[in-house]
Amino acid sequence: MDLIISLVINGLATGMLIFLLAAGLTLIFGLMDVLNFAHGGLFVWGAYTGVFTYTLTESFLIGIVAAILTGMILGFLMEKLIITPVYGNHVQQILITLGSMLVLQEMIKVAFGPNAIPVSVPDYLAGSWELGEVILIKYRLFIIIVGLIVFGIFHYILTRTKIGLIVRAGVMNKEMVQALGINIKKVFLFVFMTGAALAAIGGMLMAPYSGSIYAEMGMEFAILGFIVVVIGGMGSFSGSLFAAVLVGLAGSFMAYYVPSLSLAVNMILMAIVLIFRPQGLFKMAKG
Amino acid sequence: MMESLLKLHNIHTHIGQFHILQGINFEAKAGEVSVLLGRNGAGKTTTLKTIMGLTPASNGTITFLDENIEKKPTYDIAKIGIGYVPEDQGIFGQLTVEENMKVAMRKVTDDALEKQDYVLELFPDLKKFWKKAGGHLSGGQKQMLSMARAFVNDSKLLLIDEPSKGLAPIVVEKVMEAIMEMKKRTTIVLVEQNFIMASRIGDTFTLIDDGRTVQQGAMNELIADDELKRKYLGIG
Ligand SMILES: Nc1ncnc2c1ncn2[C@@H]1O[C@H](COP(=O)(O)OP(=O)(O)O)[C@@H](O)[C@H]1O
Ligand SMILES: [Mg+2]
């Protein structure tokens, strides 16, 4: 029993980190029809600038704020300089965002050095609680809680606020949103910057969880993010949480019981979904 | 003499490499219902989309309230006072009727709320299904929601594309009555294939064929001209 709980918590924590990355990815695809292969670059930059600030100020919270700011600034620049010129052209999008991903990754090495940097959990989140047989690692619970809070906030925004309604309307029918007098470009920028900030938070939270940060972590996580977007349904925010948790749990259990399959399991999940429900589990209906 | 609200002069539109509109001339006067007629594929929908800037004109001028709008982005065109009810209604299917109206209402002003009350009087079904997802409405209700959305802002002109398409006759009747009611408060450009309806509520007509304006005038003239109806509409 304690083993199962531990695997579940592990899976949920990983799932939340993937969710933070996938949430932006899915909205950016659903609304803007943009495949952003540079999203992992925002994740890794969030991690590095966050950890840098965390080390400097010795405050984990300020580190998270720094990661968010980095995400928003990079998101702003990326949308304006890189994405805007290639709206509507998927081939160019893939080429330029993949290129940007590599540039962002190499810039990490230039700015922070090529070696992995160890990161420790802040004191107040270190250690664990013991409930009888069960050991609950505090930091993992912290990630799960932050993930749920972020989901709650954004679920509220998407369902209860005007800008959220506009974003969802835009996912369903962009032309109509504009014909109602809404400048969709501003909405695009808002969504892109928000998605970038979420990815950056994910990177920062990931750092103490994995114990170190390295330039390639963005690419590795972005692949999981893409798998989650496909499974959850492109454009579906709730779908991305569900699929991320699914992928997190599958990874956690497989790593324990069938380690040889732990890397393949995501691909298998994705293949199953694509065969039986190619639109994804939660695909937003158009129209 | 009523003033001209909207005027298209020698409009050409390309979609991809296709030259779809090849000289549309057309005028809508304030307070009137102007009907665009022409067979399937003539270019009526594209004309409305070009006015909205969704398929921008490659040549020619469009003036609205004495302002050139042919180069403006769609959202600006909507903001200066043109409401659009597309052929497929463009309902946000996962949003409720209420949320569809919220997205549409650009500023929550007394005036906008009064207009919303007015259209809800006109379309009681919308009030009844206020919390229902737009995608679950009937065809007629979707049409009403789409018209309500376009009307709720300070739209001086409504472009309505084939509102009777696919609706049962009794529903068509309701929609047409609503359009005649709305006409009291705004100017309307209507695409309508149903000639009986078109002739009943239209003040003027513009006949489009192969992307060109071939004839325009008062609706009475068209009603009397069997030759014209036979040639371009296949009726009479
Ligand atoms: N996106 C498009 N790509 C290519 N051709 C189009 C497109 N949209 C419309 N057309 C063509 O333009 C012509 C006019 O279409 P449309 O304006 O929809 O006609 P109508 O509304 O009068 O039936 C048709 O021949 C149609 O096939
Ligand atoms: Mg049409």
Side-chain angles (χ1 to χ4, degrees):
Chain A
M1 191 57 206
D2 47 331
L3 173 68
I4 303 279
I5 291 179
S6 162
L7 288 177
V8 166
I9 288 180
N10 216 349
L12 286 177
T14 313
M16 289 303 173
L17 294 175
I18 306 172
F19 162 69
L20 288 172
L21 195 132
L25 214 48
T26 202
L27 284 181
I28 289 167
F29 183 83
L31 179 71
M32 301 155 72
D33 203 21
V34 166
L35 296 159
N36 182 21
F37 284 96
H39 210 63
L42 302 161
F43 184 84
V44 68
W45 270 88
Y48 270 83
T49 55
V51 166
F52 179 78
T53 313
Y54 169 33
T55 316
L56 209 65
T57 62
E58 291 179 12
S59 162
F60 190 64
L61 200 64
I62 296 180
I64 292 182
V65 172
I68 293 175
L69 289 177
T70 304
M72 288 174 68
I73 293 168
L74 279 180
F76 178 85
L77 295 175
M78 201 184 269
E79 204 274 344
K80 286 277 176 204
L81 303 177
I82 294 171
I83 305 291
T84 301
V86 295
Y87 273 126
N89 188 326
H90 281 158
V91 174
Q92 288 184 5
Q93 281 165 17
I94 292 171
L95 293 175
I96 196 160
T97 58
L98 263 180
S100 307
M101 176 70 223
L102 295 176
V103 170
L104 285 171
Q105 186 171 305
E106 293 311 304
M107 300 264 287
I108 284 282
K109 295 180 187 165
V110 173
F112 300 96
N115 301 322
I117 297 173
V119 185
S120 56
V121 177
D123 290 342
Y124 53 95
L125 292 172
S128 55
W129 287 300
E130 284 172 37
L131 292 176
E133 301 272 286
V134 183
I135 296 170
L136 299 172
I137 296 172
K138 283 187 196 169
Y139 191 71
R140 290 183 188 168
L141 291 176
F142 170 74
I143 290 178
I144 296 171
I145 290 166
V146 172
L148 287 175
I149 290 174
V150 168
F151 176 80
I153 292 173
F154 279 87
H155 187 75
Y156 179 86
I157 293 175
L158 284 170
T159 55
R160 293 279 178 276
T161 68
K162 175 100 186 244
I163 178 72
L165 291 179
I166 290 174
V167 169
R168 285 167 64 214
V171 171
M172 294 172 227
N173 190 337
K174 269 189 286 287
E175 281 199 346
M176 197 61 226
V177 165
Q178 295 177 84
L180 290 170
I182 295 157
N183 183 350
I184 199 107
K185 284 189 192 143
K186 283 191 188 163
V187 183
F188 282 0
L189 183 61
F190 167 79
V191 166
F192 203 92
M193 287 174 68
T194 308
L198 287 180
I201 297 174
M204 175 57 184
L205 292 181
M206 172 80 189
Y209 181 56
S210 67
S212 69
I213 52 178
Y214 49 98
E216 287 79 15
M217 68 190 269
M219 191 76 107
E220 288 168 15
F221 248 73
I223 292 170
L224 290 177
F226 271 103
I227 291 174
V228 159
V229 168
V230 171
I231 293 178
M234 307 216 183
S236 170
F237 186 73
S238 303
S240 68
L241 176 69
F242 184 86
V245 167
L246 195 68
V247 165
L249 287 174
S252 161
F253 276 83
M254 282 300 193
Y256 187 80
Y257 290 108
V258 202
S260 57
L261 271 184
S262 70
L263 285 177
V265 62
N266 299 313
M267 295 296 173
I268 296 170
L269 270 176
M270 184 166 73
I272 293 172
V273 168
L274 283 176
I275 290 168
F276 293 104
R277 245 187 102 78
Q279 72 275 38
L281 297 177
F282 283 66
K283 174 68 182 166
M284 284 264 210
K286 303 254 172 188
Chain B
M1 191 64 210
M2 272 184 274
E3 71 169 300
S4 158
L5 188 64
L6 175 81
K7 194 166 185 178
L8 276 68
H9 177 70
N10 196 26
I11 283 296
H12 288 245
T13 296
H14 289 77
I15 300 180
Q17 79 259 42
F18 302 107
H19 194 171
I20 309 283
L21 300 185
Q22 315 189 12
I24 296 283
N25 292 287
F26 151 69
E27 196 175 341
K29 292 196 168 125
E32 292 193 341
V33 175
S34 313
V35 184
L36 298 183
L37 290 161
R39 56 184 127 225
N40 265 337
K44 305 179 296 295
T45 295
T46 308
T47 300
L48 296 193
K49 284 191 169 179
T50 298
I51 297 171
M52 283 313 292
L54 290 166
T55 54
S58 38
N59 222 321
T61 55
I62 305 176
T63 42
F64 176 67
L65 292 168
D66 297 323
E67 193 179 353
N68 275 40
I69 62 164
E70 71 275 357
K71 300 226 159 41
K72 286 188 187 294
T74 299
Y75 65 87
D76 262 350
I77 294 171
K79 271 195 207 162
I80 56 179
I82 305 185
Y84 180 47
V85 182
E87 205 167 0
D88 66 2
Q89 294 125 19
I91 299 302
F92 306 122
Q94 294 201 335
L95 302 190
T96 63
V97 171
E98 178 184 23
E99 291 168 338
N100 268 274
M101 293 303 290
K102 253 193 199 159
V103 171
M105 197 186 286
R106 285 193 293 277
K107 284 213 175 78
V108 184
T109 59
D110 288 348
D111 185 49
L113 290 171
E114 185 276 324
K115 286 193 143 186
Q116 176 163 295
D117 287 345
Y118 170 83
V119 280
L120 291 182
E121 288 294 310
L122 218 51
F123 305 122
D125 272 11
L126 296 184
K127 212 172 357 183
K128 195 160 129 204
F129 298 117
W130 195 234
K131 299 279 181 191
K132 193 167 171 175
H136 293 155
L137 297 175
S138 72
Q141 290 159 351
K142 280 185 186 157
Q143 190 62 47
M144 294 168 194
L145 178 54
S146 192
M147 283 168 35
R149 265 187 344 195
F151 183 81
V152 78
N153 291 303
D154 187 26
S155 294
K156 294 163 194 80
L157 174 69
L158 293 188
L159 311 177
I160 308 180
D161 199 347
E162 291 207 49
S164 67
K165 197 174 166 186
L167 301 184
I170 183 164
V171 184
V172 172
E173 188 61 34
K174 260 203 223 167
V175 169
M176 290 301 156
E177 273 169 23
I179 292 176
M180 283 195 270
E181 184 62 34
M182 285 171 147
K183 179 193 166 181
K184 294 177 190 162
R185 300 185 50 160
T186 183
T187 304
I188 292 169
V189 171
L190 180 69
V191 170
E192 184 51 68
Q193 291 287 63
N194 180 333
F195 185 70
I196 299 176
M197 288 299 160
S199 58
R200 238 178 65 200
I201 63 176
D203 297 302
T204 65
F205 76 94
T206 300
L207 207 48
I208 295 175
D209 201 47
D210 276 338
R212 289 182 182 84
T213 302
V214 288
Q215 189 92 29
Q216 46 192 326
M219 187 57 84
N220 293 337
E221 296 166 27
L222 180 63
I223 293 170
D225 194 333
D226 289 336
E227 173 62 28
L228 207 56
K229 280 190 282 185
R230 196 165 25 247
K231 189 164 172 205
Y232 292 108
L233 303 172
I235 49 174

